[in-house]
Every structure is written in C-alpha cells, then in structure tokens.
PDB file of all heavy atoms in Angstrom:
ATOM      1  N   ILE N  42      11.195  11.065  -7.133  1.00 96.00           N
ATOM      2  CA  ILE N  42      10.366  11.025  -8.196  1.00 96.00           C
ATOM      3  C   ILE N  42       8.901  10.858  -7.652  1.00 96.00           C
ATOM      4  O   ILE N  42       8.535  10.072  -6.780  1.00 96.00           O
ATOM      5  CB  ILE N  42      10.680   9.724  -9.103  1.00 96.00           C
ATOM      6  CG1 ILE N  42      12.090   9.926  -9.693  1.00 96.00           C
ATOM      7  CG2 ILE N  42       9.625   9.573 -10.266  1.00 96.00           C
ATOM      8  CD1 ILE N  42      12.550   8.664 -10.380  1.00 96.00           C
ATOM      9  N   SER N  43       7.916  11.588  -8.313  1.00 95.00           N
ATOM     10  CA  SER N  43       6.614  11.656  -7.904  1.00 95.00           C
ATOM     11  C   SER N  43       5.782  10.461  -8.516  1.00 95.00           C
ATOM     12  O   SER N  43       4.945  10.764  -9.378  1.00 95.00           O
ATOM     13  CB  SER N  43       5.928  12.940  -8.295  1.00 95.00           C
ATOM     14  OG  SER N  43       6.585  14.010  -7.629  1.00 95.00           O
ATOM     15  N   LEU N  44       6.072   9.196  -8.055  1.00 96.00           N
ATOM     16  CA  LEU N  44       5.388   8.116  -8.671  1.00 96.00           C
ATOM     17  C   LEU N  44       3.894   8.057  -8.155  1.00 96.00           C
ATOM     18  O   LEU N  44       2.990   7.679  -8.974  1.00 96.00           O
ATOM     19  CB  LEU N  44       6.054   6.865  -8.236  1.00 96.00           C
ATOM     20  CG  LEU N  44       7.390   6.435  -8.824  1.00 96.00           C
ATOM     21  CD1 LEU N  44       7.835   5.125  -8.248  1.00 96.00           C
ATOM     22  CD2 LEU N  44       7.195   6.285 -10.394  1.00 96.00           C
ATOM     23  N   PHE N  45       3.639   8.404  -6.928  1.00 96.00           N
ATOM     24  CA  PHE N  45       2.292   8.197  -6.390  1.00 96.00           C
ATOM     25  C   PHE N  45       1.317   9.269  -6.671  1.00 96.00           C
ATOM     26  O   PHE N  45       0.189   9.332  -6.183  1.00 96.00           O
ATOM     27  CB  PHE N  45       2.494   7.875  -4.894  1.00 96.00           C
ATOM     28  CG  PHE N  45       3.353   6.813  -4.525  1.00 96.00           C
ATOM     29  CD1 PHE N  45       4.528   7.050  -3.731  1.00 96.00           C
ATOM     30  CD2 PHE N  45       3.358   5.685  -5.271  1.00 96.00           C
ATOM     31  CE1 PHE N  45       5.378   6.029  -3.506  1.00 96.00           C
ATOM     32  CE2 PHE N  45       4.249   4.640  -5.031  1.00 96.00           C
ATOM     33  CZ  PHE N  45       5.214   4.833  -4.128  1.00 96.00           C
ATOM     34  N   ASP N  46       1.636  10.166  -7.693  1.00 94.00           N
ATOM     35  CA  ASP N  46       0.643  11.044  -8.275  1.00 94.00           C
ATOM     36  C   ASP N  46      -0.362  10.233  -9.145  1.00 94.00           C
ATOM     37  O   ASP N  46      -1.434  10.608  -9.319  1.00 94.00           O
ATOM     38  CB  ASP N  46       1.296  12.087  -9.238  1.00 94.00           C
ATOM     39  CG  ASP N  46       1.967  13.113  -8.405  1.00 94.00           C
ATOM     40  OD1 ASP N  46       1.817  13.185  -7.079  1.00 94.00           O
ATOM     41  OD2 ASP N  46       2.816  13.910  -8.970  1.00 94.00           O
ATOM     42  N   ASP N  47       0.134   9.065  -9.543  1.00 94.00           N
ATOM     43  CA  ASP N  47      -0.676   8.102 -10.394  1.00 94.00           C
ATOM     44  C   ASP N  47      -1.531   7.233  -9.444  1.00 94.00           C
ATOM     45  O   ASP N  47      -0.890   6.500  -8.668  1.00 94.00           O
ATOM     46  CB  ASP N  47       0.315   7.246 -11.249  1.00 94.00           C
ATOM     47  CG  ASP N  47      -0.402   6.258 -12.093  1.00 94.00           C
ATOM     48  OD1 ASP N  47      -1.466   5.777 -11.715  1.00 94.00           O
ATOM     49  OD2 ASP N  47       0.178   5.977 -13.204  1.00 94.00           O
ATOM     50  N   PRO N  48      -2.806   7.323  -9.480  1.00 94.00           N
ATOM     51  CA  PRO N  48      -3.625   6.519  -8.528  1.00 94.00           C
ATOM     52  C   PRO N  48      -3.477   4.993  -8.541  1.00 94.00           C
ATOM     53  O   PRO N  48      -3.433   4.326  -7.597  1.00 94.00           O
ATOM     54  CB  PRO N  48      -5.067   6.930  -8.941  1.00 94.00           C
ATOM     55  CG  PRO N  48      -4.948   8.214  -9.698  1.00 94.00           C
ATOM     56  CD  PRO N  48      -3.597   8.202 -10.342  1.00 94.00           C
ATOM     57  N   LYS N  49      -3.122   4.444  -9.713  1.00 95.00           N
ATOM     58  CA  LYS N  49      -2.868   3.031  -9.824  1.00 95.00           C
ATOM     59  C   LYS N  49      -1.588   2.685  -9.062  1.00 95.00           C
ATOM     60  O   LYS N  49      -1.534   1.621  -8.376  1.00 95.00           O
ATOM     61  CB  LYS N  49      -2.616   2.571 -11.329  1.00 95.00           C
ATOM     62  CG  LYS N  49      -3.882   2.181 -11.942  1.00 95.00           C
ATOM     63  CD  LYS N  49      -4.327   0.877 -11.261  1.00 95.00           C
ATOM     64  CE  LYS N  49      -5.493   0.257 -12.049  1.00 95.00           C
ATOM     65  NZ  LYS N  49      -6.351  -0.625 -11.343  1.00 95.00           N
ATOM     66  N   LEU N  50      -0.644   3.477  -9.086  1.00 96.00           N
ATOM     67  CA  LEU N  50       0.663   3.184  -8.366  1.00 96.00           C
ATOM     68  C   LEU N  50       0.450   3.347  -6.822  1.00 96.00           C
ATOM     69  O   LEU N  50       0.930   2.546  -6.091  1.00 96.00           O
ATOM     70  CB  LEU N  50       1.794   4.075  -8.819  1.00 96.00           C
ATOM     71  CG  LEU N  50       2.070   4.008 -10.309  1.00 96.00           C
ATOM     72  CD1 LEU N  50       3.302   4.801 -10.730  1.00 96.00           C
ATOM     73  CD2 LEU N  50       2.390   2.505 -10.683  1.00 96.00           C
ATOM     74  N   SER N  51      -0.318   4.340  -6.450  1.00 96.00           N
ATOM     75  CA  SER N  51      -0.542   4.519  -4.958  1.00 96.00           C
ATOM     76  C   SER N  51      -1.506   3.409  -4.438  1.00 96.00           C
ATOM     77  O   SER N  51      -1.337   2.983  -3.392  1.00 96.00           O
ATOM     78  CB  SER N  51      -1.069   6.031  -4.689  1.00 96.00           C
ATOM     79  OG  SER N  51      -2.341   6.169  -5.421  1.00 96.00           O
ATOM     80  N   GLU N  52      -2.375   2.935  -5.299  1.00 96.00           N
ATOM     81  CA  GLU N  52      -3.208   1.769  -4.971  1.00 96.00           C
ATOM     82  C   GLU N  52      -2.316   0.574  -4.643  1.00 96.00           C
ATOM     83  O   GLU N  52      -2.635  -0.176  -3.809  1.00 96.00           O
ATOM     84  CB  GLU N  52      -4.307   1.488  -6.027  1.00 96.00           C
ATOM     85  CG  GLU N  52      -5.451   2.417  -6.058  1.00 96.00           C
ATOM     86  CD  GLU N  52      -6.343   2.111  -7.247  1.00 96.00           C
ATOM     87  OE1 GLU N  52      -6.490   0.928  -7.661  1.00 96.00           O
ATOM     88  OE2 GLU N  52      -6.920   3.041  -7.764  1.00 96.00           O
ATOM     89  N   THR N  53      -1.281   0.364  -5.491  1.00 97.00           N
ATOM     90  CA  THR N  53      -0.365  -0.743  -5.284  1.00 97.00           C
ATOM     91  C   THR N  53       0.207  -0.637  -3.776  1.00 97.00           C
ATOM     92  O   THR N  53       0.251  -1.673  -3.104  1.00 97.00           O
ATOM     93  CB  THR N  53       0.742  -0.695  -6.288  1.00 97.00           C
ATOM     94  OG1 THR N  53       0.128  -0.894  -7.573  1.00 97.00           O
ATOM     95  CG2 THR N  53       1.794  -1.738  -6.056  1.00 97.00           C
ATOM     96  N   VAL N  54       0.542   0.480  -3.474  1.00 98.00           N
ATOM     97  CA  VAL N  54       1.105   0.738  -2.084  1.00 98.00           C
ATOM     98  C   VAL N  54       0.105   0.363  -0.991  1.00 98.00           C
ATOM     99  O   VAL N  54       0.345  -0.339  -0.014  1.00 98.00           O
ATOM    100  CB  VAL N  54       1.768   2.126  -1.909  1.00 98.00           C
ATOM    101  CG1 VAL N  54       2.132   2.446  -0.397  1.00 98.00           C
ATOM    102  CG2 VAL N  54       2.895   2.383  -2.761  1.00 98.00           C
ATOM    103  N   LEU N  55      -1.110   1.008  -1.191  1.00 97.00           N
ATOM    104  CA  LEU N  55      -2.259   0.583  -0.230  1.00 97.00           C
ATOM    105  C   LEU N  55      -2.549  -0.839  -0.137  1.00 97.00           C
ATOM    106  O   LEU N  55      -2.745  -1.332   0.891  1.00 97.00           O
ATOM    107  CB  LEU N  55      -3.360   1.489  -0.602  1.00 97.00           C
ATOM    108  CG  LEU N  55      -3.331   2.965  -0.424  1.00 97.00           C
ATOM    109  CD1 LEU N  55      -4.517   3.734  -1.001  1.00 97.00           C
ATOM    110  CD2 LEU N  55      -3.042   3.424   0.962  1.00 97.00           C
ATOM    111  N   ASP N  56      -2.649  -1.488  -1.251  1.00 97.00           N
ATOM    112  CA  ASP N  56      -2.823  -2.915  -1.333  1.00 97.00           C
ATOM    113  C   ASP N  56      -1.760  -3.628  -0.595  1.00 97.00           C
ATOM    114  O   ASP N  56      -2.029  -4.592   0.196  1.00 97.00           O
ATOM    115  CB  ASP N  56      -2.905  -3.544  -2.718  1.00 97.00           C
ATOM    116  CG  ASP N  56      -4.174  -2.992  -3.465  1.00 97.00           C
ATOM    117  OD1 ASP N  56      -5.179  -2.531  -2.758  1.00 97.00           O
ATOM    118  OD2 ASP N  56      -4.197  -3.166  -4.696  1.00 97.00           O
ATOM    119  N   SER N  57      -0.528  -3.259  -0.676  1.00 97.00           N
ATOM    120  CA  SER N  57       0.658  -3.913   0.012  1.00 97.00           C
ATOM    121  C   SER N  57       0.655  -3.638   1.474  1.00 97.00           C
ATOM    122  O   SER N  57       1.024  -4.519   2.299  1.00 97.00           O
ATOM    123  CB  SER N  57       1.985  -3.473  -0.574  1.00 97.00           C
ATOM    124  OG  SER N  57       1.971  -3.884  -1.932  1.00 97.00           O
ATOM    125  N   ILE N  58       0.218  -2.494   1.982  1.00 98.00           N
ATOM    126  CA  ILE N  58      -0.012  -2.188   3.366  1.00 98.00           C
ATOM    127  C   ILE N  58      -1.063  -3.065   3.826  1.00 98.00           C
ATOM    128  O   ILE N  58      -0.932  -3.715   4.967  1.00 98.00           O
ATOM    129  CB  ILE N  58      -0.344  -0.743   3.572  1.00 98.00           C
ATOM    130  CG1 ILE N  58       0.792   0.228   3.253  1.00 98.00           C
ATOM    131  CG2 ILE N  58      -0.736  -0.466   5.018  1.00 98.00           C
ATOM    132  CD1 ILE N  58       0.482   1.695   3.207  1.00 98.00           C
ATOM    133  N   THR N  59      -2.164  -3.313   3.146  1.00 97.00           N
ATOM    134  CA  THR N  59      -3.261  -4.222   3.643  1.00 97.00           C
ATOM    135  C   THR N  59      -2.717  -5.659   3.682  1.00 97.00           C
ATOM    136  O   THR N  59      -2.911  -6.373   4.679  1.00 97.00           O
ATOM    137  CB  THR N  59      -4.403  -4.095   2.621  1.00 97.00           C
ATOM    138  OG1 THR N  59      -4.979  -2.726   2.664  1.00 97.00           O
ATOM    139  CG2 THR N  59      -5.547  -5.181   3.079  1.00 97.00           C
ATOM    140  N   TYR N  60      -1.938  -6.040   2.633  1.00 96.00           N
ATOM    141  CA  TYR N  60      -1.354  -7.379   2.763  1.00 96.00           C
ATOM    142  C   TYR N  60      -0.502  -7.613   4.023  1.00 96.00           C
ATOM    143  O   TYR N  60      -0.588  -8.627   4.695  1.00 96.00           O
ATOM    144  CB  TYR N  60      -0.493  -7.624   1.491  1.00 96.00           C
ATOM    145  CG  TYR N  60       0.105  -8.977   1.432  1.00 96.00           C
ATOM    146  CD1 TYR N  60      -0.648 -10.101   1.054  1.00 96.00           C
ATOM    147  CD2 TYR N  60       1.447  -9.120   1.810  1.00 96.00           C
ATOM    148  CE1 TYR N  60      -0.137 -11.344   0.945  1.00 96.00           C
ATOM    149  CE2 TYR N  60       2.017 -10.539   1.728  1.00 96.00           C
ATOM    150  CZ  TYR N  60       1.205 -11.520   1.384  1.00 96.00           C
ATOM    151  OH  TYR N  60       1.778 -12.798   1.357  1.00 96.00           O
ATOM    152  N   MET N  61       0.358  -6.541   4.338  1.00 96.00           N
ATOM    153  CA  MET N  61       1.250  -6.702   5.548  1.00 96.00           C
ATOM    154  C   MET N  61       0.327  -6.829   6.812  1.00 96.00           C
ATOM    155  O   MET N  61       0.609  -7.635   7.654  1.00 96.00           O
ATOM    156  CB  MET N  61       2.097  -5.400   5.728  1.00 96.00           C
ATOM    157  CG  MET N  61       3.409  -5.482   5.319  1.00 96.00           C
ATOM    158  SD  MET N  61       4.604  -4.311   5.862  1.00 96.00           S
ATOM    159  CE  MET N  61       3.653  -2.726   5.839  1.00 96.00           C
ATOM    160  N   ARG N  62      -0.755  -6.007   6.800  1.00 96.00           N
ATOM    161  CA  ARG N  62      -1.627  -6.068   7.945  1.00 96.00           C
ATOM    162  C   ARG N  62      -2.260  -7.423   8.036  1.00 96.00           C
ATOM    163  O   ARG N  62      -2.413  -8.001   9.071  1.00 96.00           O
ATOM    164  CB  ARG N  62      -2.677  -5.002   7.859  1.00 96.00           C
ATOM    165  CG  ARG N  62      -3.622  -4.903   9.061  1.00 96.00           C
ATOM    166  CD  ARG N  62      -4.478  -3.571   8.914  1.00 96.00           C
ATOM    167  NE  ARG N  62      -5.337  -3.574  10.078  1.00 96.00           N
ATOM    168  CZ  ARG N  62      -6.561  -4.119  10.085  1.00 96.00           C
ATOM    169  NH1 ARG N  62      -7.116  -4.747   9.056  1.00 96.00           N
ATOM    170  NH2 ARG N  62      -7.347  -3.977  11.206  1.00 96.00           N
ATOM    171  N   ASN N  63      -2.696  -8.028   6.883  1.00 95.00           N
ATOM    172  CA  ASN N  63      -3.287  -9.368   6.929  1.00 95.00           C
ATOM    173  C   ASN N  63      -2.278 -10.500   7.250  1.00 95.00           C
ATOM    174  O   ASN N  63      -2.663 -11.659   7.706  1.00 95.00           O
ATOM    175  CB  ASN N  63      -3.792  -9.736   5.505  1.00 95.00           C
ATOM    176  CG  ASN N  63      -5.007  -8.854   5.223  1.00 95.00           C
ATOM    177  OD1 ASN N  63      -5.761  -8.451   6.035  1.00 95.00           O
ATOM    178  ND2 ASN N  63      -5.285  -8.833   3.969  1.00 95.00           N
ATOM    179  N   LYS N  64      -0.933 -10.153   7.207  1.00 95.00           N
ATOM    180  CA  LYS N  64       0.141 -11.097   7.638  1.00 95.00           C
ATOM    181  C   LYS N  64       0.462 -10.908   9.092  1.00 95.00           C
ATOM    182  O   LYS N  64       1.509 -11.379   9.539  1.00 95.00           O
ATOM    183  CB  LYS N  64       1.355 -10.992   6.842  1.00 95.00           C
ATOM    184  CG  LYS N  64       1.119 -11.427   5.332  1.00 95.00           C
ATOM    185  CD  LYS N  64       0.792 -12.969   5.453  1.00 95.00           C
ATOM    186  CE  LYS N  64       0.718 -13.601   4.026  1.00 95.00           C
ATOM    187  NZ  LYS N  64       0.479 -15.005   4.069  1.00 95.00           N
ATOM    188  N   GLY N  65      -0.314 -10.057   9.844  1.00 95.00           N
ATOM    189  CA  GLY N  65       0.020  -9.907  11.269  1.00 95.00           C
ATOM    190  C   GLY N  65       0.708  -8.644  11.755  1.00 95.00           C
ATOM    191  O   GLY N  65       1.006  -8.451  12.906  1.00 95.00           O
ATOM    192  N   ILE N  66       0.960  -7.749  10.737  1.00 96.00           N
ATOM    193  CA  ILE N  66       1.584  -6.493  11.190  1.00 96.00           C
ATOM    194  C   ILE N  66       0.527  -5.511  11.472  1.00 96.00           C
ATOM    195  O   ILE N  66      -0.464  -5.293  10.837  1.00 96.00           O
ATOM    196  CB  ILE N  66       2.465  -5.866   9.975  1.00 96.00           C
ATOM    197  CG1 ILE N  66       3.598  -6.873   9.613  1.00 96.00           C
ATOM    198  CG2 ILE N  66       3.048  -4.507  10.302  1.00 96.00           C
ATOM    199  CD1 ILE N  66       4.523  -7.174  10.692  1.00 96.00           C
ATOM    200  N   CYS N  67       0.633  -4.908  12.681  1.00 96.00           N
ATOM    201  CA  CYS N  67      -0.366  -3.886  13.061  1.00 96.00           C
ATOM    202  C   CYS N  67       0.017  -2.609  12.456  1.00 96.00           C
ATOM    203  O   CYS N  67       1.193  -2.139  12.458  1.00 96.00           O
ATOM    204  CB  CYS N  67      -0.333  -3.635  14.538  1.00 96.00           C
ATOM    205  SG  CYS N  67      -0.868  -5.119  15.574  1.00 96.00           S
ATOM    206  N   VAL N  68      -0.989  -1.977  11.661  1.00 97.00           N
ATOM    207  CA  VAL N  68      -0.789  -0.752  11.039  1.00 97.00           C
ATOM    208  C   VAL N  68      -1.562   0.276  11.851  1.00 97.00           C
ATOM    209  O   VAL N  68      -2.805   0.308  11.631  1.00 97.00           O
ATOM    210  CB  VAL N  68      -1.152  -0.829   9.454  1.00 97.00           C
ATOM    211  CG1 VAL N  68      -1.097   0.477   8.822  1.00 97.00           C
ATOM    212  CG2 VAL N  68      -0.368  -1.852   8.809  1.00 97.00           C
ATOM    213  N   PHE N  69      -0.875   1.164  12.450  1.00 97.00           N
ATOM    214  CA  PHE N  69      -1.606   2.187  13.186  1.00 97.00           C
ATOM    215  C   PHE N  69      -1.805   3.488  12.487  1.00 97.00           C
ATOM    216  O   PHE N  69      -2.815   4.224  12.780  1.00 97.00           O
ATOM    217  CB  PHE N  69      -0.815   2.529  14.579  1.00 97.00           C
ATOM    218  CG  PHE N  69      -0.616   1.339  15.407  1.00 97.00           C
ATOM    219  CD1 PHE N  69       0.612   0.787  15.705  1.00 97.00           C
ATOM    220  CD2 PHE N  69      -1.666   0.744  16.067  1.00 97.00           C
ATOM    221  CE1 PHE N  69       0.838  -0.262  16.494  1.00 97.00           C
ATOM    222  CE2 PHE N  69      -1.491  -0.401  16.795  1.00 97.00           C
ATOM    223  CZ  PHE N  69      -0.227  -0.879  17.010  1.00 97.00           C
TER     224      PHE N  69
END
C-alpha cells in the first residue's frame, strides 16, 4: 500500500528515524 505518498505519513517515518538516532542508533 502506498502510504508514504502522503507527506504527513512520510514525516512520521522521518521523525521516528530521527528519534532512533537520538537514542544512539547510527543512521548512515
């Protein structure tokens, strides 16, 4: 399903990647 065509939903993913990074996960 193409959920991330919706910018708000893709922003949720990006915010969560940032959160993981802030918790010590290296995002390359």
Side-chain angles (χ1 to χ4, degrees):
I42 298 171
S43 295
L44 285 180
F45 306 127
D46 288 347
D47 182 327
K49 268 292 192 208
L50 301 182
S51 56
E52 281 176 32
T53 297
V54 171
L55 292 171
D56 290 346
S57 295
I58 292 170
T59 298
Y60 180 80
M61 259 195 326
R62 187 171 178 268
N63 291 339
K64 289 296 184 182
I66 299 300
C67 291
V68 178
F69 299 116

